Amino acid sequence: MKTLALASAALLISSFAAHAEGELNLYNWGNYTSPEMIEKFTAETGIKVTITDYDSNTTALAKVEAGGSGFDLVVPSANYVPIFVQKGLLAELDHSRLSNIGNIDPKWVDVPWDKGRMHTIPWLWGSTGIAVNKSVYSGDVNTSEIFLDPPAELVGKINVVPEMSDVMALAIFNAGGEACTEDLTILKKVRDRLKAAKPSWLSMDYGTTDKLSSGDYAASVNWNGSTMRARINNPDIVYGYPREGYPLFMDSVGILSDAKNVDEAYKFLDFIMIPENAAMLSSFARYANGISGSEPFMPEDMKTAPEIVVPAELVSAGRFLPTCPQPATELYTAIWTDLVK
């Protein structure tokens, strides 16, 4: 009996060790994943999650497309999901392995960038606008002129996030164009304004939350959730919705075609579709999620936050960016490459 007990104990220990050895490699935007949620996932599954950060969709796409990244999951924005799919970089999801897929809010299921959610599930969504420290500049913040023709108080104190799609969209909307325009008159104006404005910027940096909080930046092209986090630390931070037009985004998470830890990836996707866990993502990053039933678990301050609740007169100025055709993408890339060199 003692031998049997020892054998059983050894088998139990062996099984636990195998369970605890599970690994998962998540490639995600920086400062965008709730540590508390990751700890909960590991505690419940034994799967160790390693997170590698990126600062733009183009960075993520280039890294994944190069191959051999070792990542299992990636979180591209809506307009980049079709590019990942077209290039064969995302695996088609087996919905039978996702018991919680019915928790996706119906309005986020048949989305233009991933009909029926065949390759991704929602992560978080929000807007790209203008963050301003009102103790430095007290004028109108609901305009992209803040970074395209900076007021004197903000010259040399502005950051612009290094996300081509968002910055180009803001400049194109300001010039009276539409997303994915190939109108060379519009694009010449965009190029000239961006290049003329750049000397008035301090930086093109992804890490804006802390620097806005500390006052290192007096303004930034920035995302709403990041701006809310900065405002919680520094009440002088305000968020502007450019009336000329501003991008909306939803970042969605999918399994890479060359993922090694597929079982673990499915467990993670299913886990973050549990309402309480989706709310943990929102609570950390301060963006809305796409999971029904998460509302009761959300922070109270997000329900009325000016970074979340868009002024009625500016709602229509927000728009999701489509995936641009190759000719438009090449034009934008040329402008962007010239801007950042």
Side-chain angles (χ1 to χ4, degrees):
M1 291 293 291
K2 185 176 181 180
T3 303
L4 180 60
L6 287 172
S8 298
L11 181 61
L12 183 63
I13 291 170
S14 174
S15 298
F16 177 77
H19 178 66
E21 286 171 4
E23 295 182 354
L24 184 65
N25 295 297
L26 171 64
Y27 194 33
N28 198 4
W29 297 83
N31 202 19
Y32 200 40
T33 309
S34 164
E36 182 184 9
M37 190 210 70
I38 294 297
E39 289 173 9
K40 181 181 178 183
F41 175 73
T42 299
E44 291 187 9
T45 65
I47 298 169
K48 177 187 176 183
V49 182
T50 299
I51 303 169
T52 303
D53 296 344
Y54 54 82
D55 61 2
S56 71
N57 280 296
T58 50
T59 298
L61 178 62
K63 180 71 172 179
V64 171
E65 193 172 13
S69 67
F71 302 132
D72 301 304
L73 297 166
V74 69
V75 192
S77 299
N79 57 324
Y80 270 77
V81 169
I83 300 173
F84 273 80
V85 172
Q86 185 271 327
K87 290 178 177 290
L89 303 175
L90 287 179
E92 186 169 330
L93 294 178
D94 179 354
H95 287 186
S96 70
R97 302 182 68 176
L98 298 170
S99 60
N100 296 314
I101 197 160
N103 290 340
I104 298 178
D105 188 315
K107 71 181 178 184
W108 298 118
V109 175
D110 277 323
V111 287
W113 58 89
D114 190 13
K115 288 283 187 180
R117 288 294 177 175
M118 300 308 297
H119 293 90
T120 64
I121 66 166
W123 185 264
L124 296 170
W125 71 277
S127 63
T128 309
I130 310 292
V132 176
N133 188 321
K134 65 182 180 182
S135 72
V136 179
Y137 176 70
S138 59
D140 180 19
V141 299
N142 292 315
T143 174
S144 45
E145 291 292 311
I146 292 289
F147 82 100
L148 291 171
D149 186 14
E153 300 96 316
L154 296 176
V155 170
K157 304 172 184 177
I158 297 172
N159 179 65
V160 175
V161 293
E163 174 52 44
M164 179 180 74
S165 296
D166 288 341
V167 177
M168 285 294 296
L170 285 166
I172 288 169
F173 296 155
N174 182 281
E178 295 298 326
C180 298
T181 183
E182 297 176 37
D183 185 324
L184 295 182
T185 302
I186 292 286
L187 293 179
K188 182 180 184 302
K189 183 177 180 181
V190 164
R191 181 199 64 193
D192 293 348
R193 291 208 76 192
L194 286 171
K195 291 194 71 173
K198 187 181 179 183
S200 297
W201 305 341
L202 174 63
S203 57
M204 295 185 71
D205 181 25
Y206 177 79
T208 53
T209 304
D210 291 343
K211 291 181 179 180
L212 277 170
S213 301
S214 65
D216 289 345
Y217 298 152
S220 181
V221 173
N222 200 31
W223 300 288
N224 63 313
S226 170
T227 305
M228 181 177 179
R229 293 168 73 182
R231 193 253 304 161
I232 290 171
N233 297 328
N234 182 346
D236 284 333
I237 303 300
V238 295
Y239 184 69
Y241 299 87
R243 63 177 55 84
E244 302 90 353
Y246 58 90
L248 301 175
F249 66 86
M250 171 172 271
D251 298 324
S252 298
V253 54
I255 301 174
L256 290 169
S257 299
D258 61 355
K260 304 300 183 189
N261 303 299
V262 175
D263 290 343
E264 291 84 353
Y266 271 103
K267 288 177 182 178
F268 186 81
L269 295 186
D270 216 34
F271 181 84
I272 65 174
M273 288 189 288
I274 296 172
E276 184 176 358
N277 299 336
M280 292 174 76
L281 281 179
S282 292
S283 299
F284 173 76
R286 298 291 172 158
Y287 298 95
N289 62 72
I291 302 302
S292 295
S294 64
E295 294 81 5
F297 303 102
M298 298 281 278
E300 282 297 318
D301 60 354
M302 286 186 69
K303 297 176 182 178
T304 57
E307 301 87 358
I308 306 295
V309 182
V310 186
E313 68 276 14
L314 296 172
V315 169
S316 61
R319 59 204 81 168
F320 277 94
L321 301 181
T323 302
C324 295
Q326 190 63 26
T329 300
E330 290 175 357
L331 289 167
Y332 299 173
T333 301
I335 293 171
W336 188 254
T337 301
D338 189 36
L339 179 69
V340 300
K341 69 182 181 183

